[in-house]
Structures are given as structure tokens and as C-alpha cells.
Amino acid sequence: MPADLAEKTDRYERLLADALDAATIAPPTGTPLADSAADYEEMARSYLEDGRHFRASDDPVNALAAFSYGHAWLDAGARIGLFSVPDEGDLFTV
């Protein structure tokens, strides 16, 4: 049975927002890796805002895509050590 688009979009928005709240920049401030982490975080926040804009414009497909892309930036950053993230839960695949 296919997932309901509205439910899935809601779930991915929550997942991205919660992941942004849970992730903290791991490298020391002022280092190139900390700058990269800040860039990854900015991309994720931008995709969250974009997704919310698409949702408000009644475009759930692009909203879901934006939320998914935003989470991918955070998840990739966590995997390469740019973010400290919780070990438990379903926010990250590390």
C-alpha cells in the first residue's frame, strides 16, 4: 500500500526539524571542518524553509523532496563527523 503523501510529508518535516535540533557541530570553532559543518547545517535549514514554502504553496511533492534533501545534508554530515548526534533513535543512520 503506498504511503499517504500528506502523512509522509509531515513525517519528513518533523524528522528534519528534530534532526536539526539534535545535531551539534563537532569540530572546534574556527577550523575548516567547523566551517564545513556550518555550511551543511545552513543547507539543511534552507531546505526546511523551502519545504515549508512549498507546503504553504500547496506543492507537497516538492515539499517532501526538500525535507528529504535537507535531512540528507545532516545525515551525511553526521556520518563524516561534522556533527555530534544521538546514538539512539531514528533521526540519523550513524
Side-chain angles (χ1 to χ4, degrees):
M1 173 186 290
D4 176 61
L5 181 59
E7 183 278 325
K8 195 168 193 175
T9 304
D10 288 344
R11 186 167 23 107
Y12 276 69
E13 180 182 7
R14 277 192 312 275
L15 180 68
L16 176 52
D18 291 348
L20 276 164
D21 287 342
T24 57
I25 293 177
T29 302
T31 64
L33 286 176
D35 293 343
S36 293
D39 289 343
Y40 273 57
E41 182 180 41
E42 182 181 349
M43 289 299 295
R45 287 194 189 285
S46 293
Y47 274 115
L48 179 62
E49 291 173 17
D50 289 350
R52 289 175 172 166
H53 169 78
F54 287 131
R55 171 174 269 168
S57 299
D58 198 29
D59 187 354
V61 171
N62 280 320
L64 177 58
F67 297 144
S68 297
Y69 288 142
H71 191 268
W73 278 94
L74 285 181
D75 214 27
R79 280 196 163 267
I80 62 174
L82 296 179
F83 300 110
S84 296
V85 297
D87 293 330
E88 287 89 33
D90 61 352
L91 294 178
F92 298 94
T93 60
V94 292

